[in-house]
Amino acid sequence: MPGLVIIGAQWGDEGKGKITDLLAEGADVVVRFQGGNNAGHTIVRNGETWKLHLMPSGILHPNKLCVIGNGVVIDPKVLTDELDELRRRGVDTGALRISANAHLIMPYHMLLDHAGEMRLGKLEIGTTRRGIGPCYADKAARLGIRVQDLLDEKILKKKIVAALEPKRLGLRDFAKDPQLDLQTMTEEYLTYGHRIKQYITDTSKLVCDHLDRGEMVLFEGAQGTLLDIDHGTYPFVTSSNPIAGSACIGAGVGPKDIDEIWGITKAYSTRVGAGPFPTELDGPMAADLRERGHEYGTTTGRERRVGWLDLVALRYAARINSLTALALTKLDVLSGQERLLVATAYRGPEDAEFDHFPYHQTVLHHASGIYQELPGWEEDISACRSEDELPQAARDYLRFIEEFVKVPIALIGVGPGRDEVIWTKAGAATHAGSTAALAG
Ligand code: IMP
């Protein structure tokens, strides 16, 4: 009954798409359990680049069941566009299943997201403006529109009216926006309903049935631990829970169904949007790292903020998620640096030093990294396929991380392609299935 959860151990954009795509080789089912089209996965396969926003990464594997769970918020326009694009490029989407209980992003959610950010001005969160926050807010307020509502015109209309009522003030500026016309909106969403009807089902039961049959289910997280609404750098967070525990809620399985939890981290750090970032770099060093790592958002194209690897935050992610393994991506981006810094503690206000991730917003906002310096390496490592082939300094860098975080590194990314990885002994032992599939 193997359930494997993959989550981001930083601020998102860690390369989860590629790792999920690799592990999907050995999986029977791939499930997304939170977030929406604020996520963006880039997968490079056979020289072709795929940018997915809503679709589980497993969709590129033929006949792999792909599930959009109840915890995801769905913009049906994005979903149907993504389906069209995949079909146009020859991908069979027949194995997609969508939870009838997933919530829908409505046109007013996007307008409210945009207006909310404008109102905050300098204090803005830097959201993706995809309507994610307002949609989850409606879910909590019990005013959400769910996938199942798309199949009944009367219910859909009634629920839209109820959802719009308390938003009149916030939407005043958009009163004449044709997107908000009740009839137009209802018709548009009914059309989406017809288009995705064949995929809608009780995905919780479906996933549990597969787990009961002993099949391997991969739960694919979006965003990252430090963007978690409860455990991240609130309020500079997303509106869902990207941590491992959320896989149970967002897919409808029990905690005992999870056997392994992989945290994905880059070999350095990035963040998009506003909020604290204790190891952030600026100046030419930041520009260089951004260029080498192509650190621009998949979803919004925004420049990512970049910084040194933050081991204080990574150890926190290991604890919050009960990580059983780490996958470390983009190690190749660090080639050519004479020295590498990793934060092993923070310096806070009044010069206080601490070695844990601070719970208090004010402390965190003033925290900066206290670094351990490690030697870098010159060599291009993108052709390395085993740890032994890596330069000694790269191996020492990996060992330092493992020992500090106390979680073994199972997989190392040395380039963007799906074959540009190194499976360590820890990874190969746990995922012989995927390794064999890769070798084949
Ligand atoms: P929202 O999820 O659009 O509400 O944005 C809230 C915060 O999460 C912003 O700082 C976004 O930049 C960030 N965010 C949302 N999705 C992602 C992602 O997939 N990768 C990285 N950051 C994200």
Side-chain angles (χ1 to χ4, degrees):
M1 188 226 40
L4 192 158
V5 178
I6 295 180
I7 54 92
Q10 299 172 303
W11 279 283
D13 307 317
E14 299 91 350
K16 293 179 294 293
K18 171 172 156 174
I19 308 297
T20 312
D21 186 45
L22 280 173
L23 292 177
E25 292 273 1
D28 301 289
V29 186
V30 182
V31 190
R32 267 203 65 181
F33 56 87
Q34 47 72 228
N37 60 309
N38 48 347
H41 288 162
T42 307
I43 299 168
V44 183
R45 287 187 131 222
N46 305 328
E48 265 195 277
T49 302
W50 302 83
K51 287 186 192 292
L52 303 174
H53 295 286
L54 257 178
M55 214 55 76
S57 303
I59 200 77
L60 299 179
H61 296 261
N63 305 322
K64 204 136 286 193
L65 196 63
C66 285
V67 175
I68 298 182
N70 56 278
V72 175
V73 288
I74 299 174
D75 180 331
K77 175 163 186 352
V78 174
L79 177 69
T80 47
D81 284 352
E82 215 158 279
L83 278 167
D84 287 344
E85 172 68 4
L86 284 164
R87 284 200 210 103
R88 193 184 63 74
R89 292 175 69 180
V91 176
D92 179 4
T93 57
L96 176 69
R97 298 291 178 273
I98 301 168
S99 169
N101 289 351
H103 281 248
L104 293 167
I105 297 181
M106 304 298 289
Y108 44 85
H109 291 140
M110 283 173 269
L111 294 172
L112 288 167
D113 196 357
H114 190 82
E117 287 284 87
M118 297 299 279
R119 211 170 309 120
L120 283 170
K122 274 197 190 139
L123 297 176
E124 70 161 17
I125 292 156
T127 73
T128 58
R129 305 197 179 196
R130 302 294 197 262
I132 308 293
C135 184
Y136 277 116
D138 265 355
K139 175 178 176 175
R142 288 152 295 181
L143 288 171
I145 316 287
R146 296 188 295 172
V147 166
Q148 57 184 279
D149 301 326
L150 293 177
L151 306 179
D152 185 320
E153 181 172 357
K154 246 167 75 189
I155 288 181
L156 179 62
K157 206 177 248 175
K158 233 161 93 181
K159 290 198 174 181
I160 295 176
V161 170
L164 278 174
E165 180 54 35
K167 299 180 182 62
R168 280 195 192 290
L169 197 62
L171 290 171
R172 205 176 34 192
D173 294 344
F174 310 103
K176 294 208 166 65
D177 192 322
Q179 286 186 87
L180 295 188
D181 175 69
L182 179 61
Q183 194 54 33
T184 314
M185 205 184 328
T186 309
E187 279 168 20
E188 185 189 346
Y189 273 65
L190 285 172
T191 309
Y192 295 134
H194 289 306
R195 294 203 49 204
I196 63 170
K197 193 173 173 182
Q198 59 176 309
Y199 304 114
I200 303 173
T201 189
D202 176 354
T203 52
S204 164
K205 179 168 185 325
L206 182 72
V207 174
C208 289
D209 287 347
H210 281 268
L211 284 165
D212 285 345
R213 288 206 288 273
E215 294 182 14
M216 180 179 166
V217 179
L218 201 59
F219 299 89
E220 175 186 5
Q223 290 87 44
T225 302
L226 301 172
L227 289 174
D228 186 277
I229 191 164
D230 286 274
H231 301 284
T233 54
Y234 192 91
F236 301 98
V237 292
T238 192
S239 297
S240 66
N241 293 104
I243 61 168
S246 171
C248 295
I249 298 160
V253 302
K256 285 186 174 174
D257 290 322
I258 310 298
D259 303 288
E260 282 194 52
I261 301 156
W262 282 36
I264 319 300
T265 176
K266 276 180 190 159
Y268 49 97
S269 305
T270 65
R271 158 161 220 172
V272 281
F277 186 178
T279 63
E280 184 164 16
L281 283 162
D282 57 16
M285 181 76 208
D288 180 52
L289 197 54
R290 186 175 300 118
E291 279 317 303
R292 285 162 170 273
H294 308 291
E295 295 298 352
Y296 300 91
T298 315
T299 300
T300 58
R302 284 183 289 179
E303 252 186 20
R304 293 181 186 142
R305 299 158 66 192
V306 297
W308 294 117
L309 184 60
D310 183 344
L311 292 182
V312 182
L314 194 56
R315 191 164 57 186
Y316 173 70
R319 169 165 70 83
I320 292 284
N321 293 293
S322 304
L323 295 185
T324 58
L326 282 170
L328 185 128
T329 61
K330 292 191 153 185
L331 186 63
D332 55 304
V333 174
L334 294 183
S335 290
Q337 302 285 348
E338 204 174 312
R339 56 188 197 120
L340 298 168
L341 301 187
V342 289
T344 52
Y346 291 154
R347 192 174 312 286
E350 289 157 22
D351 239 14
E353 273 188 34
F354 38 98
D355 61 4
H356 62 277
F357 198 75
Y359 73 89
H360 202 287
Q361 191 183 348
T362 312
V363 178
L364 189 58
H365 276 262
H366 291 95
S368 58
I370 297 177
Y371 297 98
Q372 168 95 29
E373 188 176 318
L374 300 169
W377 58 91
E378 270 304 315
E379 298 90 326
D380 175 3
I381 58 168
S382 55
C384 298
R385 293 294 174 270
S386 78
E387 270 192 284
D388 305 345
E389 295 168 33
L390 288 172
Q392 187 60 46
R395 278 184 277 162
D396 290 346
Y397 188 71
L398 298 170
R399 274 315 71 75
F400 190 90
I401 297 166
E402 280 186 324
E403 275 163 27
F404 192 93
V405 179
K406 298 199 167 45
V407 178
I409 296 175
L411 193 61
I412 304 154
V414 291
R418 67 194 308 278
D419 56 331
E420 290 176 308
V421 290
I422 295 172
W423 290 85
T424 68
K425 285 195 188 78
T430 5
H431 281 283
S434 302
T435 318
L438 268 177

